């Protein structure tokens, strides 16, 4: 039996106060945190339930949306403004987990869900630098089919598991944070850290810092977007590779593009190099493959996941091809 304090916050300031000075964790839907506690990967002494905080989706003055951190994943996916103006976000969310889990999971919790590396969860038998810094990493020489090909380090090769975050990276989402020292914003693309020599430090959040909202900037491009997830089963499986992309054409040339990748890196991976190749070039399969190649030039596959390089290349090209055909109709 583990002694654990549970309280429910009434607002952001109350949540921050309740989490102060304690080995406390914020509790969203609990769909990841409770599993981690059950496996003794996480052992907080107190849980501060933040599901009573803002769960509103509101229009911003610049024509974007502000999504409260306690909004359930299903509510985001089903919101009419998200479906029509940011379709890649709806598609990414419904590609994840199951309807029951999406009904429970919150936006804040989705952002901070932890890797699905099996060695990370195996507290009894496996070495893991993310769980126990300095211990070693059994994935590097082990079963690493699901692991990273981009952005990994000799300390950790785990991937970030979220589908929703891949779309948020492509959409230039902004994360709103609050703590005892005030409020600040961080670009979603800068929220998660690469592992380098500290895979246990996964984000730029300060201790006790609370996610209060995620802002989607206005974007005409985002209305012409999609998300494709490649996985071992057609449902209830994490991505081997996923692609969130948006494309605008000017005649036969690419006016603008956004591309982000999931399942291949320790964080939602914005494909900046691919986007650079795409802009101003003819919207052809050759261009799409060149863009993917530019991003994948830095791929460092492991013994078990070299297939991800070609799978990513082909998925990026196929998604961009689909968007370009839709733009020409
Ligand atoms: C069987 C199964 C299959 C799944 N499949 C997929 C999938 O295919 N794709 C996918 O993307 N996801 C998948 N998931 C993961 C799921 O999306 C996450 O578990 C969920 O999004 C986490 O949200 P939550 O609100 O339940 O977070 P919680 O479990 O409550 O919390 C997760 C973390 O976020 C922190 N936290 C929560 N809210 C805040 C806040 N406001 N501020 C700061 N910190 C906060 C918590 O302290 C904790 O560290 C799956 C999960 C399960 C169990
Ligand atoms: S890949 Fe990362 S999470 Fe997995 S065992 Fe290695 S250090 Fe741990």
């Amino acid at each position: 039996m583990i002694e654990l304090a549970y309280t429910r916050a009434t607002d952001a300031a109350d949540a921050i106060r309740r989490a102060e000075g304690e080995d406390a964790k914020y509790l969203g839907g609990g769909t990841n945190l409770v599993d981690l506690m059950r496996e003794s990967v996480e052992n907080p002494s107190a849980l501060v339930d933040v599901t009573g905080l803002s769960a509103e989706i509101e229009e911003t003055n610049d024509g974007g949306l502000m999504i409260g951190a306690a909004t359930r994943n299903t509510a985001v996916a089903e919101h009419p403004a998200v479906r029509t103006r940011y379709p890649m976000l709806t598609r990414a969310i419904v590609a994840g987990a199951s309807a029951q889990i999406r009904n429970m999971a919150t936006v804040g919790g989705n952002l901070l869900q932890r890797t699905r590396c099996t060695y990370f969860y195996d507290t009894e038998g496996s070495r893991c630098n993310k769980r126990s810094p300095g211990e070693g990493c059994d994935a590097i020489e082990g079963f690493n089919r699901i692991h990273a090909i981009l952005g990994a380090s000799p300390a950790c090769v785990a991937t970030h598991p979220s589908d929703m975050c891949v779309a948020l990276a492509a959409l230039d989402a902004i994360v709103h944070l609050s703590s005892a020292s005030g409020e600040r914003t961080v670009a979603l693309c800068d929220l998660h850290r690469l592992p380098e020599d500290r895979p246990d430090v996964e984000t730029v959040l300060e201790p006790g810092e609370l996610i209060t909202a995620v802002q989607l900037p206005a974007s005409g491009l985002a209305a012409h977007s999609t998300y494709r997830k490649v996985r071992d089963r057609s449902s209830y499986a994490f991505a081997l590779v996923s692609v969130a992309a948006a494309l605008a054409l000017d005649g036969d040339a690419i006016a603008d593009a956004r591309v982000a990748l999931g399942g291949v890196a320790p964080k939602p991976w914005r494909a900046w190099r691919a986007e650079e190749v795409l802009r101003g070039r003819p919207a052809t399969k050759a261009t799409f493959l060149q863009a993917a190649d530019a991003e994948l030039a830095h791929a460092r596959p492991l013994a078990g996941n070299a297939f991800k390089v070609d799978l990513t290349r082909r998925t990026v090209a196929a998604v961009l091809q689909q968007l370009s055909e839709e733009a020409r109709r």
Side-chain angles (χ1 to χ4, degrees):
M1 186 80 82
I2 300 166
E3 215 166 286
L4 184 68
Y6 169 90
T7 56
R8 193 172 155 82
T10 52
D11 58 27
D14 184 41
I16 293 160
R17 214 169 24 248
R18 286 174 189 274
E20 243 173 29
E22 293 247 30
D23 181 17
K25 295 285 291 185
Y26 295 121
L27 180 69
T31 61
N32 188 217
L33 182 56
V34 172
D35 281 353
L36 290 163
M37 290 168 62
R38 215 178 274 133
E39 301 294 334
S40 303
V41 178
E42 301 231 23
N43 303 290
S45 60
L47 292 179
V48 179
D49 187 333
V50 291
T51 54
L53 275 56
S54 169
E56 305 288 317
I57 301 180
E58 293 169 328
E59 295 285 342
T60 58
N61 291 337
D62 73 344
L65 293 177
M66 188 73 80
I67 305 172
T71 313
R72 306 288 177 170
N73 287 186
T74 300
V76 179
E78 289 183 351
H79 195 279
V82 175
R83 291 170 72 106
T84 53
R85 283 150 53 187
Y86 306 93
M88 67 159 77
L89 182 55
T90 292
R91 285 173 186 268
I93 293 172
V94 300
S98 64
Q100 291 89 339
I101 291 168
R102 296 193 297 270
N103 288 344
M104 286 296 292
T106 61
V107 166
N110 192 315
L111 261 53
L112 298 191
Q113 63 173 295
R114 304 193 72 189
T115 185
R116 293 286 157 168
C117 171
T118 40
Y119 301 100
F120 174 65
Y121 285 80
D122 179 20
T123 49
E124 298 295 321
S126 301
R127 295 176 308 147
C128 172
N129 285 323
K130 191 183 276 300
R131 237 190 310 104
S132 310
E135 188 177 68
C137 166
D138 275 343
I140 290 173
E141 299 292 327
F143 183 71
N144 46 39
R145 183 171 181 276
I146 63 168
H147 289 75
I149 56 170
L150 290 163
S153 77
C156 179
V157 293
T159 55
H160 193 270
S162 171
D163 290 297
M164 185 183 84
C165 287
V166 182
L168 293 178
L171 293 170
D172 295 305
I174 297 161
V175 183
H176 288 247
L177 303 172
S178 190
S179 70
S181 24
E183 298 185 354
R184 65 177 179 134
T185 56
V186 175
L188 187 281
C189 290
D190 299 330
L191 180 73
H192 302 93
R193 286 180 71 257
L194 290 179
E196 299 173 344
D197 58 353
R198 288 299 306 273
D200 54 313
V201 185
E202 295 173 353
T203 70
V204 299
L205 292 194
E206 299 293 338
E209 206 161 23
L210 176 74
I211 299 172
T212 54
V214 171
Q215 184 181 348
L216 300 181
S219 166
L221 187 61
H224 310 285
S225 69
T226 195
Y227 182 79
R228 190 177 297 188
K229 176 174 177 177
V230 184
R231 49 190 154 171
D232 282 326
R233 292 188 305 273
S234 62
S235 73
Y236 220 44
F238 289 87
L240 288 170
V241 168
S242 69
V243 176
L247 194 73
L249 298 186
D250 180 6
D252 285 332
I254 299 163
D256 206 357
R258 300 284 183 279
V259 183
L261 307 176
V264 292
K267 58 184 278 182
W269 191 262
R270 179 70 176 265
W272 301 106
R273 294 183 186 92
E275 290 177 12
E276 196 65 41
V277 170
L278 292 168
R279 283 191 197 102
R281 301 278 303 282
T284 61
K285 188 169 179 199
T287 302
F288 302 147
L289 287 170
Q290 280 168 24
D293 287 342
E295 199 61 47
L296 292 164
H298 298 266
R300 299 284 175 269
L302 302 157
N305 68 4
F307 74 96
K308 281 193 178 184
V309 177
D310 192 46
L311 187 59
T312 307
R313 181 175 190 261
R314 286 187 284 116
T315 309
V316 167
V319 167
L320 292 170
Q321 183 72 31
Q322 177 199 325
L323 289 171
S324 73
E325 284 167 12
E326 286 171 7
R328 286 189 174 106
R329 274 186 212 137

